[in-house]
């Protein structure tokens, strides 16, 4: 059976029984999207339709982070698993393929080394005290890294010096493009560069142009941020991936359930460019947070604190 949801959907639609079950699930997912409350019989019908898929490849399909039809693939996944988000934000499982099963995006280090040791040597030599500046200069040596970084930087800084509000949606899309299409060797170096002083820390904090991508004029409630995320297939998927790969466990020696910090960092990068974009909170630490508050959360304060705590006090992250 195909592990790709787009292929699995095609196989299902060619089978009359599977097709009918899938159409039922589409109606269930649509009702949820429109926030329509389903009666008991409808809920049972939706749950049974999901169970009826049995061993169908649709039930076990996954998506790839860098695939061309990613949004379509994720829509299929959440159509099949729509019951998983009932009443709570714990999404249980990631729609993304295990990173170990995905194609490894390699950097051409020989070509990079030749560029670094050549005409750019003097430029990089002066970056020893600021690893974030050095990481940026190394990015500039790659045409793709330079182009996509320039793209999001120009979009996210539009309106910064006037009364105009930046286009946050376009800014987020540019950031996702950068972190999805540029090899991780570059993106991780820029986002997680180790700093010893505040000048470096400031550059690291401003990697994602926080005035546009991260900060609002006032901090919204974290529950509002979560609701915005769950309405978006990409954000909901990245959040599920983050929850799965950055699950903190107190009894674990490293504080992480999967003991896979590389997967957690990749999942963290996946959150950037979504309504729940995280960032460093200051120039002098590696603490991260969401731009939201749990004040005035009423009887949902505990749930709100949990959302904020996934980033602020996550030992695994």
């Amino acid at each position: 059976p195909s592990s790709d949801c787009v292929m699995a959907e095609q196989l299902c639609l060619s089978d009359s029984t599977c097709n009918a079950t899938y159409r039922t699930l589409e109606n269930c997912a649509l009702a949820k999207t429109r926030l329509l409350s389903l009666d008991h019989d409808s809920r049972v019908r939706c749950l049974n339709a999901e169970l009826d898929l049995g061993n169908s490849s649709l039930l076990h399909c996954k998506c790839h982070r860098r695939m061309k039809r990613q949004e379509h693939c994720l829509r299929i996944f959440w159509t099949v698993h729509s019951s998983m988000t009932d009443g709570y934000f714990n999404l249980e499982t990631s729609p993304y393929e295990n990173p170990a099963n995905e194609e490894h995006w390699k950097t051409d280090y020989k070509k990079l080394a030749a560029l670094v040791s050549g005409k750019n040597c003097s430029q990089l030599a002066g970056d020893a005290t600021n690893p974030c500046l050095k990481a940026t200069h190394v990015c500039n040596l790659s045409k793709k890294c330079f182009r996509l970084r320039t793209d999001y930087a120009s979009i996210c800084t539009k309106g910064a010096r006037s009364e105009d509000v930046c286009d946050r949606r376009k800014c987020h899309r540019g950031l996702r493009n950068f972190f999805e299409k540029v090899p991780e060797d570059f993106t991780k170096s820029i986002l997680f560069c180790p700093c010893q002083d505040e000048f470096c820390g400031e550059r690291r904090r401003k990697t994602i142009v926080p005035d546009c991508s991260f900060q609002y004029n006032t901090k919204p409630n974290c529950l509002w941020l979560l609701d915005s995320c769950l309405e978006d297939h990409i954000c909901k998927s990245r959040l599920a991936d983050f929850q799965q790969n950055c699950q903190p466990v107190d009894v674990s020696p490293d504080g992480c359930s999967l003991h896979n910090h590389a997967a957690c960092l990749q999942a963290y990068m996946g959150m950037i460019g979504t309504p729940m974009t995280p960032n460093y909170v200051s120039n002098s630490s590696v603490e991260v947070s969401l731009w939201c508050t749990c004040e005035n959360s009423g009887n949902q304060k505990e749930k709100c604190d949990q959302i904020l705590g996934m980033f602020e006090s996550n030992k695994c992250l």
Side-chain angles (χ1 to χ4, degrees):
S2 172
S3 64
D4 180 330
C5 289
V6 176
M7 293 291 289
E9 182 191 46
Q10 291 174 358
L11 286 171
C12 178
L13 296 180
S14 64
D15 175 87
S16 57
T17 306
C18 187
N19 191 329
T21 304
Y22 184 60
R23 295 305 181 194
T24 299
L25 286 172
E26 279 189 317
N27 290 332
C28 297
L30 187 63
K32 276 201 158 191
T33 304
R34 292 176 178 171
L35 301 177
L36 301 174
S37 55
L38 298 174
D39 58 35
H40 176 72
D41 290 345
S42 298
R43 284 176 177 273
V44 171
R45 188 164 61 249
C46 292
L47 199 57
N48 285 340
E50 197 171 310
L51 294 172
D52 284 345
L53 286 178
N55 290 321
S56 160
S57 53
L58 257 181
L59 197 62
H60 307 287
C61 72
K62 294 279 187 177
C63 301
H64 301 283
R65 289 169 183 81
R66 295 172 180 251
M67 68 189 297
K68 286 183 178 178
R69 300 180 68 191
Q70 186 181 163
E71 287 192 55
H72 178 64
C73 184
L74 295 173
R75 181 187 60 76
I76 297 166
F77 179 90
W78 291 115
T79 295
V80 175
H81 298 283
S82 63
S83 67
M84 289 165 62
T85 55
D86 255 358
Y88 194 56
F89 74 92
N90 189 349
L91 303 172
E92 293 184 26
T93 188
S94 170
Y96 289 111
E97 192 76 74
N98 187 315
N101 300 333
E102 292 193 4
E103 179 188 350
H104 182 66
W105 290 65
K106 295 178 180 176
T107 303
D108 189 343
Y109 280 111
K110 286 183 179 178
K111 184 177 178 182
L112 197 59
L115 284 165
V116 172
S117 63
K119 62 182 179 179
N120 297 286
C121 185
S122 58
Q123 183 189 45
L124 290 168
D127 298 336
T129 57
N130 193 334
C132 290
L133 190 59
K134 181 175 182 178
T136 302
H137 285 158
V138 171
C139 169
N140 291 346
L141 301 176
S142 158
K143 285 182 180 178
K144 178 180 272 189
C145 189
F146 174 72
R147 176 172 57 81
L148 291 174
R149 183 176 164 274
T150 304
D151 283 352
Y152 85 71
S154 63
I155 294 168
C156 298
T157 50
K158 278 181 182 174
R161 295 179 183 175
S162 67
E163 294 179 1
D164 298 333
V165 178
C166 75
D167 192 328
R168 182 172 280 110
R169 190 181 291 271
K170 282 187 178 178
C171 176
H172 280 169
R173 194 184 305 131
L175 280 165
R176 290 202 307 272
N177 252 344
F178 176 75
F179 285 105
E180 283 177 16
K181 295 181 179 178
V182 173
E184 285 182 13
D185 302 286
F186 290 110
T187 55
K188 280 184 177 177
S189 296
I190 288 176
L191 193 64
F192 304 124
C193 40
C195 291
Q196 301 298 322
D197 60 57
E198 291 197 12
F199 292 107
C200 178
E202 171 77 351
R203 189 173 187 91
R204 180 174 60 192
R205 193 179 65 81
K206 287 192 170 179
T207 296
I208 66 165
V209 197
D211 287 348
C212 184
S213 70
F214 178 66
Q215 294 169 204
Y216 293 77
N217 290 331
T218 55
K219 282 189 176 183
N221 187 282
C222 298
L223 295 168
W224 177 83
L225 222 57
L226 176 68
D227 287 342
S228 300
C229 183
L230 296 181
E231 289 171 7
D232 180 280
H233 281 128
I234 286 185
C235 188
K236 180 163 68 171
S237 302
R238 303 294 172 82
L239 180 60
D241 196 49
F242 180 79
Q243 286 183 310
Q244 179 176 294
N245 290 298
C246 299
Q247 192 67 252
V249 178
D250 289 333
V251 295
S252 173
D254 63 355
C256 190
S257 62
L258 293 183
H259 309 292
N260 189 344
H261 293 286
C264 179
L265 291 181
Q266 184 184 51
Y268 173 86
M269 286 196 296
M271 295 301 300
I272 295 172
T274 71
M276 286 182 75
T277 293
N279 196 26
Y280 296 99
V281 295
S282 75
N283 302 337
S284 54
S285 76
V286 289
E287 289 179 32
V288 296
S289 181
L290 297 172
W291 183 262
C292 63
T293 178
C294 284
E295 291 177 15
N296 305 317
S297 296
N299 59 3
Q300 290 191 298
K301 177 79 163 59
E302 189 179 340
K303 178 182 175 182
C304 187
D305 287 338
Q306 242 180 318
I307 297 163
L308 198 52
M310 283 195 297
F311 295 87
E312 284 191 342
S313 53
N314 188 327
K315 290 180 182 177
C316 180
L317 179 62

